[in-house]
């Protein structure tokens, strides 16, 4: 139930944690099985001091297990967890200096917001006056000074999650762990809290690991995003790089939208696709049939009475509209166009689809 664990040194009064005080966190060769289920299978990953590192991946890929290992709630079968180069694998959870916020608000229902925030300090024997001052400072930090006396049931989900964040920061953790902290909130509150958490995290300079299965959340908040797959690291990179230069087809399709278009091998480093011959970005699979992976914004589309593609559907996204387009061979692809342009391509209309003359990402065709 407790969302925070105590670091060893006593908390001095003052800011939640000093800017630039972020720790380096390293997972080295982490393995963990639960019966026949493999949760982690050799996870290697480093969080840099002060960065917000998002752990992103499909359900069951081991994100939460990795986070719990850092918190000390879970232990690896093999491998180690290091903070600032020191192996903490055998250190008890309450001595690790991590603060955690969970998906469910997990506040103590019988304590006020201020008492919830001060709880860990009380456990650690901090005097009443200092506790109260510190709780007030932290509630102020998360914009809730005016709700200090409220009980959890008297607060909205977003407010409760802010209190949980203040509580996690109260003990000046060296590392902040956020496990899907926004997923129980409605869309608007979620967006507001994203920005708040990010601003706070940057102001405090606290190394933060953020578990989410929401790629938009990961891309919009993180300094770097680690994509996990079946208990291993698939790729870690800054959001823009992950999106533009995915290392694998798995990352390409997990992060953002991708369409697959059948392609033919052409020489050792090119493919023939949509009537053009294009260089391959990365490796060309040695054998098998091929698909090119294309982002919706990369496709060029134009209305064309003699075009062999057909617009099948349109979904309005604001400034852009995403069209679903059927190619001559029956393949369906997604194309994002400025909404004004998309207006000239109503559902049912014929069109021409083309690719820009740039290297393309290629993957083995999947058997349906
Ligand atoms: P999600 O996004 O669904 O929360 P996740 O990536 O966080 O998934 P984990 O919670 O780390 O995944 O779980 C990884 C795998 O280990 C899953 O198959 C899960 O069912 C299993 N697992 C995790 N904890 C336990 C446990 N205590 N007992 C048995 N199996 C577990």
């Amino acid at each position: 139930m407790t969302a925070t664990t105590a670091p060893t040194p006593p908390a001095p009064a003052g800011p939640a944690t000093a800017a630039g005080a972020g720790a380096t966190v390293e997972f080295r060769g982490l393995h963990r099985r639960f019966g026949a289920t493999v949760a982690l299978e050799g996870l290697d990953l480093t969080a840099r001091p002060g960065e917000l590192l998002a752990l992103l991946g499909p359900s069951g890929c081991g994100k939460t297990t990795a986070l719990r290992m850092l918190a000390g709630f879970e232990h690896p079968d093999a491998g180690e967890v290091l903070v600032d180069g020191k192996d903490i694998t055998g250190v008890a959870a309450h001595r690790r200096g991590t603060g955690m916020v969970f998906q469910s608000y997990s506040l103590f229902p019988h304590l006020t917001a201020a008492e919830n925030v001060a709880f860990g300090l009380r456990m650690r024997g901090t005097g009443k006056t200092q506790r109260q001052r510190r709780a007030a400072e932290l509630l102020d930090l998360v914009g809730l000074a005016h709700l200090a006396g409220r009980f959890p049931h008297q607060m909205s989900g977003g407010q409760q999650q802010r209190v949980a964040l203040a509580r996690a920061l109260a003990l000046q953790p060296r590392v902040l762990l956020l496990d899907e902290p926004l997923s129980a909130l409605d869309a608007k509150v979620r967006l507001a809290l994203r920005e708040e958490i990010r601003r706070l995290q940057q102001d405090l300079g606290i190394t933060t690991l953020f578990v989410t299965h929401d790629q938009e959340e990961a891309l919009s908040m993180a300094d770097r995003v680690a994509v996990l797959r079946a208990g291993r690291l698939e790729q870690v990179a800054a959001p823009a790089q992950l999106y533009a230069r995915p290392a694998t087809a798995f990352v390409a399709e997990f992060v953002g939208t991708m369409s697959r278009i059948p392609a033919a091998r052409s020489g050792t480093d090119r493919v023939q696709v949509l009537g053009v011959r294009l260089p391959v970005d990365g490796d060309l699979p040695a054998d098998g049939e091929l698909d090119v992976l294309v982002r919706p914004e990369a496709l060029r589309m134009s209305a064309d009475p003699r075009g062999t593609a057909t617009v099948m559907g349109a979904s309005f996204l604001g400034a852009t509209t995403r069209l679903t387009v059927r190619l001559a061979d029956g393949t369906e692809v997604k194309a994002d166009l400025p909404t004004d342009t998309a207006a000239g391509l109503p559902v049912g209309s014929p069109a021409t689809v083309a690719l820009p003359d740039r290297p393309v990402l290629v993957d083995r065709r999947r058997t349906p």
Side-chain angles (χ1 to χ4, degrees), residues 34 37 39 58-65 180 213:
F34 296 100
T37 307
S59 183
C61 71
K63 306 180 292 290
T64 295
T65 303
E180 307 248 7
H213 61 261

Side-chain angles (χ1 to χ4, degrees), residues 107-129:
L107 297 178
F108 300 116
H110 57 291
L111 299 182
T112 63
E115 288 164 349
N116 262 286
V117 175
F119 181 82
L121 296 167
R122 198 172 92 199
M123 292 291 100
R124 210 162 55 183
T126 307
K128 191 172 177 187
T129 316

Side-chain angles (χ1 to χ4, degrees), residues 16 45 61 95 118 154 186 215 249-250 296 313 320 340 348 357:
L45 180 63
C61 71
R95 295 192 172 276
Q154 298 170 319
D186 71 48
Q215 45 140 325
F250 177 83
T320 60
D340 289 353
D357 187 10

Side-chain angles (χ1 to χ4, degrees), residues 342-366:
L345 286 153
V347 173
S349 63
T352 291
V353 175
L355 280 170
D357 187 10
R358 284 200 224 119
V360 282
L361 199 67
V362 171
D363 188 34
R364 259 196 201 93
R365 190 165 313 156
R366 292 206 191 115

